[in-house]
Amino acid sequence: TLTIAVAHPDDLRWLRMVLVMLMAFGVMGVGSYVIARRLTTRLERLTSQVGEIHPDRLDAKVDVDGGDEVAALAAAFNDSVSRIASLVDNQKHLLAMVSHELRSPLARIRMAAELMGGEDQQARRDEICQNIEELDELIGDLLLASRLEIQKEKPKETQ
C-alpha cells in the first residue's frame, strides 16, 4: 500500500521560522561584513600613510576623513608628527647655537694656556692646546652638520 503523508501546519510554521531566522542571520552577516570592511579599509589606508612618514619627511600628513574614531586617530597622529617635527627642528637649531657658543670659552681657555708662564709648564700647555684643538674640531663638525641639515631643509620649505 502506498501512504502519502501530508505535513501538519504546525510543522511548516517551525520550518518558516527557521528560514526567517536564517535569512535574518544572513542579512546581519552581510551587513556586519560591509561595515567591518569599510572600517578595515580605512585602517589599512591609514597604516599605509603612516608607513610613508620617516625622519626625512616629517611634514607628511595622513588623510583625516569622517568624524569617527579612525578620523580622530588620524588627526591625533598628525598632531603628534607636527610636534615631533617641531622638536627635531628645535633640536637642530639648539645644536647649532650651542656649538657656536662653545667657541668663545674655548678661545678664552686657549688664550689662558698660551699665557701660562714658565718653561716647566710647556708640556701641560701643549696638552691643553691639543685638547682645545680637538674640541674645536668637534664643534666645527657639529656646526657644519647643522648647517648642512638646515640647508637640506630650506628647499622643502620653498616648495
Side-chain angles (χ1 to χ4, degrees), residues 100-133:
H100 182 73
E101 292 299 318
L102 284 174
R103 290 246 163 117
S104 296
L106 277 180
R108 289 193 300 271
I109 294 170
R110 181 181 289 123
M111 186 178 293
E114 289 172 3
L115 292 175
M116 284 175 68
E119 292 297 319
D120 58 330
Q121 299 292 326
Q122 184 64 38
R124 183 172 286 155
R125 187 172 38 244
D126 291 344
E127 182 181 348
I128 290 172
C129 286
Q130 181 182 356
N131 289 333
I132 290 171
E133 290 302 319

Side-chain angles (χ1 to χ4, degrees), residues 136-151:
D136 201 31
E137 219 173 287
L138 289 172
I139 292 169
D141 291 346
L142 285 173
L143 280 170
L144 178 63
S146 66
R147 285 184 192 128
L148 290 175
E149 199 60 43
I150 290 171
Q151 288 298 326

